């Protein structure tokens, strides 16, 4: 009988969930959202401006400032209830004149190779840095080799991303410690510099930058770190096998400045029923400086802007307050995300749902949810509504860096999960440009996000609304 | 009790199917196939050669001939049991010197626009063709307008692909009658030429060619037909609203020749248990001439070649005879597909399964199956084995043009279904080039196809093996 009761409960639950699934109104609303996004979407035009008129938007740069003003102006055109700038101090680091590097296999016999300074790295001495090279595959190997083998050398981290992982973000996660902590670890054993294989699955000539940390190492003991293209890394590795005593030379002119004033850009449709409960959708407005930041994360910003525009266009009046937040400084500080969460706490703003798009403007495959089981069960029941758009992937997992600081008990955080195969071909490199974004793929992402926000607003989170009743 | 019996039957069936689903050996084999494809796949290198060393492979061209020789040579390196060429006579049509077109809004006031001859079109007169234009949205409109409005004019078909359809092939299917039958219909009402809006969802400057038919209209009554780029079509349409009497001029120099000898390229691993039952996997080796035919259908050819190579690499010895077939002349005649089916019939070869990849080298989303219910139920039970690779889409539907002529009762036909969003940006245009293909996306398709062939070979079709027994 226990089994029977459990069975009845399951059937009742499924019935309640299915009542949502097959809701014709929801199905029609989502169809309408997709139709509008694909015929009258604005994300692609906005991205064109951000990428081609403004360009790479590194925190503290004039381009980042221009992007703040531009997106504020565009949000003001949408007839939202509020649009404002939220001040935040951000780090300022500049690359300076382009880096230069070569591999010298014998005196007078050298070949140039493509490198770029890692974000936050100290510069090389004015005349550049030349030293012998030791190749390693992990941070652990540094400790094993010890000071004797490392002292005075350039450490070359060359563990590639694992191509067999279907989720390329998992492959990235399995490698990025080399970039983030490589200089910090190598410096402890007397290395004079660090060269890191670019975090990319593509074999090409683009070096990929990205953030790194020196931890609490004093400034005068920090060693310069650069990324080398994957093709350059393969070449260097082969050359080392033939000539272990070769020299590597690189020169970089990057520089850190005091923090500067910047802003998160925020727009809001105030809720008709629960104006003091907030659902936010966002991406980060800053980018690295090598490309124009189209995929990372211009795409997420313009999609998030289009979510609010699409809600208005289909005539949906949300019950909760819906905000678009364009975060500043995700790439090298996360100051925007932290400041937004801090202000929310100070103002006692009850954030119940946050959605971030920061995985590129590719065909959406689904969403990843950081939530409790009750909320996830409700979300999972909406999956059939997205199946006509070939959006199948609704799984528990991470969300987004910028919305992470908002996390609290009972809150739902989510991340758009686009097809990830091409993302790291472009990520943090000069190849992250507008022409690598397909208009329809971008628009489908904006539509999927709008659909999720609509459902979340209509049904509420289980935390606020309690269990589903039939 | 009837219901109870039915229920038991369903449970038993599900149980039997699940026994296959959770088969650990299958799961490991498919993992192994994907690992090999992503670390040691050969499809990308083969495609590099087909695209960059050979180029566009229009039937009857020297490039098509080179592609036959190259793929035969490469298949011969794989250690298959048999590799051979199957002779087939194919049409030969050449574009000649590039087309030229302009829109003349007033005498002496004209702007050039991008057009290309449709495949099989007759040329314009030597000095080109200039006439007034009538814009229509459908073939039906021609009949409504009648001879009075059509006579002596160039008919401009301008119905765009529907951007709201998520499956872009459906949008293509909803428009392609304009290209295929536009000249045939317009000619009946005295039109002197035809301009067709390119079959593309992208707004750009590429004209897209493709096959057309004059039906049984005598050669001397055929009118020339070209495609205009989507941007050109929008411009022409706007110009017509301002100046309905504008002239359109185009000149094309295409020419048809007598049929020439060509070949299907075939490789076989002979079955260990059922050598006289055949499963084939293929794509078409010919392409249009404007680009290099990377997506259409170089991708399908190299993926199909890699299926047999991967089966050998993972050490799987098939029970059935598995053939790779690279069909000649899909684009403008389907002679290769018809000849292969005809020879199979003449030799009494029992083909039980055929899989085609002819929808581009993009991230695979799943497969479409043309099969009966019993076979489809078995296939559907394998879906969970592909879920780790984010391949969710297993649906009934069409398969591929080249394998269509093989169709018979009880046979299973299937088509790889990659993400379709970008396909028509490249299809039949100068933008169908190697750089538009991502290595991982191509390899994932080859792996998915190999996985399906492996399962189909191991379990057999239900037609040959009978119902599943627990």
């Amino acid at each position: 009988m226990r089994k029977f009761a459990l069975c009845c409960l399951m059937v009742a639950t499924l019935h309640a969930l299915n009542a949502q699934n097959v809701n014709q109104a929801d199905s029609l609303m989502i169809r309408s959202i997709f139709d509008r996004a694909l015929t009258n979407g604005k994300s692609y035009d906005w991205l064109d401006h951000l990428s081609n008129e403004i360009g790479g938007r590194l925190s503290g740069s004039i381009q980042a400032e221009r992007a703040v003003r531009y997106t504020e102006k565009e949000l003001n055109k949408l007839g939202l209830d509020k649009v404002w700038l939220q001040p935040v101090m951000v780090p300022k680091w500049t690359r300076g004149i382009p880096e230069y590097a070569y591999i010298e296999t014998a005196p007078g016999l050298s070949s140039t190779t493509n490198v770029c300074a890692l974000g936050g790295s100290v510069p090389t001495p004015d005349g550049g840095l030349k030293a012998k090279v030791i190749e390693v595959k992990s941070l652990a190997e540094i400790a094993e080799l010890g000071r004797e083998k490392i002292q005075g050398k350039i450490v070359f981290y060359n563990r590639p991303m694992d191509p067999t992982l279907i989720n390329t973000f998992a492959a990235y996660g399995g490698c990025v410690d080399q970039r983030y902590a490589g200089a910090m670890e190598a410096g402890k054993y007397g290395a004079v510099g660090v060269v890191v294989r670019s975090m990319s699955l593509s074999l090409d000539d683009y070096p990929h930058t990205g953030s790194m940390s020196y931890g609490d190492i004093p400034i005068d003991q920090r060693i310069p770190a650069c990324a080398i293209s994957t093709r350059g890394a393969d070449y260097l590795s082969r050359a080392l096998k033939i000539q272990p005593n070769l020299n590597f030379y690189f020169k970089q002119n990057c520089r850190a400045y005091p923090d500067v004033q910047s802003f998160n850009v925020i727009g809001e449709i105030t809720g008709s029923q629960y104006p003091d409960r907030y659902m936010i959708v966002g991406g980060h407005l800053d980018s690295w400086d090598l490309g124009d930041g189209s995929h990372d994360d211009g795409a997420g910003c313009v999609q998030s802007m289009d979510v609010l525009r699409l809600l208005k266009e289909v005539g949906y009046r949300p019950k909760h307050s819906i905000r678009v937040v364009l975060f500043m400084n995700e790439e090298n500080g996360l100051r925007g995300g932290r400041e937004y969460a801090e202000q929310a706490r100070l103002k006692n703003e009850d954030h119940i749902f946050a959605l971030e798009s920061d995985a590129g403007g590719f065909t959406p495959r689904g969403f990843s949810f950081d939530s409790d089981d009750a909320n996830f069960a409700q979300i999972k029941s909406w999956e059939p509504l997205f199946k006509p758009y070939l959006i199948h992937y609704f799984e528990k997992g991470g969300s987004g860096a910028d919305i992470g600081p908002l996390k609290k008990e009972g809150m739902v955080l989510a991340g758009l999960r686009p097809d990830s195969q091409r993302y790291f071909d472009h990520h943090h490199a000069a190849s992250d440009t507008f022409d690598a974004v397909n208009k329809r793929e971008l628009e489908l992402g904006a539509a999927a996000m709008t659909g999720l926000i609509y459902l979340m607003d209509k049904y509420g989170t289980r935390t606020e609304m309690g269990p589903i009743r039939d």
Side-chain angles (χ1 to χ4, degrees), chain A residues 374-403:
Chain A
N375 277 299
F376 187 64
Q378 164 167 278
I379 289 161
K380 198 78 179 161
S381 79
W382 299 331
E383 207 175 7
L385 287 164
F386 292 88
K387 218 186 158 189
Y389 311 97
L390 299 185
I391 293 170
H392 299 78
Y393 184 90
F394 278 52
E395 300 293 340
K396 280 204 178 190
S399 57
D402 295 291
I403 59 176

Side-chain angles (χ1 to χ4, degrees), chain A residues 289-369:
Chain A
D289 54 332
L290 295 172
D292 62 33
S294 282
H295 277 297
D296 187 14
D297 181 31
C301 289
V302 297
Q303 287 173 325
S304 299
M305 291 164 69
D306 223 18
V307 168
L308 273 70
R309 197 192 63 78
L310 284 165
L311 288 176
K312 288 186 79 78
E313 190 168 320
V314 299
Y316 181 72
R317 178 81 195 148
K319 302 186 214 176
H320 302 79
S321 289
I322 313 285
R323 283 184 185 166
V324 52
V325 185
L326 310 180
F327 295 95
M328 184 50 68
N329 185 230
E330 189 267 354
E331 293 294 2
N332 55 343
L334 207 66
R335 299 278 186 87
R338 292 207 182 101
E339 181 64 17
Y340 183 84
E342 178 62 16
Q343 291 298 326
R345 261 187 290 271
L346 290 171
K347 292 174 187 152
N348 245 328
E349 290 173 344
D350 185 16
H351 281 71
I352 61 173
F353 177 57
L355 168 62
E356 181 155 4
S357 166
D358 184 19
F362 305 99
T363 303
R365 307 295 299 264
F367 299 95
S368 169
F369 296 92

Side-chain angles (χ1 to χ4, degrees), chain A residues 46 70 225 314 446:
Chain A
W46 284 327
Y70 171 69
V314 299

Side-chain angles (χ1 to χ4, degrees), chain A residues 67-94:
Chain A
V68 165
R69 301 300 163 185
Y70 171 69
T71 50
E72 181 193 22
K73 189 185 76 182
E74 292 300 312
L75 287 177
N76 268 320
K77 291 181 190 169
L78 300 185
L80 307 179
D81 296 311
K82 286 186 224 166
V83 175
W84 70 101
L85 301 184
Q86 181 175 65
V88 56
M89 296 300 289
V90 297
K92 182 177 171 75
W93 175 90
T94 62

Side-chain angles (χ1 to χ4, degrees), chain A residues 14-166:
Chain A
L14 281 172
H15 185 75
L17 294 176
N18 277 329
Q20 288 191 11
N21 288 353
V22 297
N23 188 317
Q24 186 72 3
D26 292 341
S27 177
L28 289 173
M29 177 59 88
I30 289 173
R31 179 73 260 178
S32 171
I33 289 167
F34 273 85
D35 285 354
R36 303 290 182 125
L38 288 166
T39 54
N40 191 36
K42 291 287 171 279
S43 54
Y44 195 67
D45 286 347
W46 284 327
L47 188 63
D48 188 2
H49 189 100
L50 273 183
S51 300
N52 293 322
E53 302 298 320
I54 296 176
R57 301 168 296 281
L58 193 52
S59 289
S61 68
I62 185 75
Q63 290 90 340
E65 176 68 14
R66 280 188 192 140
V68 165
R69 301 300 163 185
Y70 171 69
T71 50
E72 181 193 22
K73 189 185 76 182
E74 292 300 312
L75 287 177
N76 268 320
K77 291 181 190 169
L78 300 185
L80 307 179
D81 296 311
K82 286 186 224 166
V83 175
W84 70 101
L85 301 184
Q86 181 175 65
V88 56
M89 296 300 289
V90 297
K92 182 177 171 75
W93 175 90
T94 62
R95 185 170 303 282
I97 58 168
E99 298 83 350
Y100 175 66
Y102 61 80
I103 297 163
E104 187 186 64
T105 43
L109 195 64
S110 66
S111 59
T112 57
T113 190
N114 288 357
V115 303
C116 68
L118 293 183
S121 173
V122 296
T124 55
D126 278 352
L129 175 70
K130 180 152 63 167
K132 305 224 177 299
V133 177
I134 182 152
E135 177 178 344
V136 299
K137 291 286 169 62
S138 69
L139 298 177
E141 215 177 309
I142 297 284
E144 287 162 25
L145 288 166
R147 182 167 282 270
E148 195 191 341
K149 297 271 178 59
I150 303 289
Q151 178 91 41
K153 294 207 181 115
I154 291 171
V155 171
F156 168 37
Y157 290 96
N158 193 29
R159 183 167 85 260
M161 283 171 68
D162 180 352
T164 68
L165 295 169
I166 305 304

